[in-house]
Amino acid sequence: MAEFLKTASGRRIAYEKTQGTGPGVVFLGGFKSDMQGTKAVHLENWAKATGRAFLRFDYSGHGESSEAFTDGAISDWAEDARAAISQLTEGPQILVGSSMGGWISLLMARAMPERLAGLVTIAAAPDFTEDSMWEGFDAGLRQKLLDEGQVALPSDYGEPYVITRRLIEDGRQNLVLRDPLTIDAPVRFLQGTADEDVDMSVALRLLEHCQSPDMRLTLVDGADHRFSDPDCLALIVAAVEEVSARAGRAGRAA
């Protein structure tokens, strides 16, 4: 049963929290996704089986949280994530970011490095509002967005995505691939080669751009954007366990 966190801006963020040992694990979902997804639930089951602290939550405008999806933007969802991490967890956390959640997790790594024990991304989509959406729009669609304030894009996951002008413009204030991106913690990027939503080149660009003393990219042949079959779920857990172990050794060394 979901509980709710009221943020400083008045939004009600739905979450489910598992008590356990640290470093805790926080799952950050994707664009128009929610905390009931296969990957989030699988990680929660793993956390319960291993006694690990775990948190999953819905950004505002997603799942059971308050607000309308079309009113939100990257800044809002990053603010939700920061509030959830700050108020619902203790000590350094391993952030697991899926798709847009990968972008949000990178923003969190930059904004609150003292709370980062490690990072695992799954088909991370940093800067997608600019590099995928805006760059992919033709002149007519760009003009319609500017004139009408929103456009509807077809989706393979159900009803069309409504993309707002604010989402695009706000995204430009949160780009992570234009400025130095240093993460002083273990990092694991996971990416499927058959992902039709986030091209493999994005993962390679992120690997090249990011700076970390312990960073790896795993490409999974034939895996799609969902990255949710049994083998992929096992890889996610293995990455979290590896990052956790390396973060623990780094902490003891310090």
Side-chain angles (χ1 to χ4, degrees), residues 58 145 205:
D58 289 330
L145 180 68
R205 182 184 178 194

Side-chain angles (χ1 to χ4, degrees), residues 70-227:
T70 50
D71 289 339
I74 301 299
S75 291
D76 302 313
W77 302 326
E79 183 180 277
D80 296 340
R82 187 165 187 171
I85 294 167
S86 297
Q87 299 180 50
L88 300 175
T89 72
E90 296 180 1
Q93 302 292 305
I94 296 172
L95 305 184
V96 181
S98 176
S99 193
M100 182 186 77
W103 185 1
I104 300 294
S105 69
L106 293 168
L107 289 171
M108 294 302 97
R110 189 168 69 183
M112 47 198 313
E114 73 285 354
R115 296 297 307 276
L116 185 70
L119 178 65
V120 176
T121 70
I122 307 156
D127 302 3
F128 76 90
T129 54
E130 188 70 13
D131 297 338
S132 178
M133 289 181 173
W134 182 255
E135 288 299 323
F137 292 170
D138 60 26
L141 199 58
R142 289 184 178 185
Q143 194 59 52
K144 182 176 181 180
L145 180 68
L146 294 175
D147 291 343
E148 301 180 13
Q150 64 181 42
V151 294
L153 302 180
S155 167
D156 293 332
Y157 304 99
E159 61 185 22
Y161 288 152
V162 175
I163 307 304
T164 65
R165 177 174 177 173
R166 177 173 179 253
L167 176 68
I168 299 298
E169 293 178 344
D170 177 82
R172 292 180 182 137
Q173 307 306 311
N174 291 281
L175 302 177
V176 295
L177 295 178
R178 274 70 174 173
D179 297 314
L181 180 61
T182 300
I183 300 177
D184 188 21
V187 178
R188 298 293 179 267
F189 302 128
L190 305 176
Q191 176 71 41
T193 64
D195 191 329
E196 296 183 356
D197 294 290
V198 178
D199 191 80
M200 190 168 58
S201 63
V202 176
L204 295 172
R205 182 184 178 194
L206 180 56
L207 180 71
E208 181 179 4
H209 180 76
C210 186
Q211 298 295 316
S212 167
D214 182 0
M215 180 170 60
R216 296 178 186 174
L217 165 64
T218 298
L219 298 177
V220 182
D221 188 37
D224 63 14
H225 190 64
R226 295 179 188 273
F227 213 86

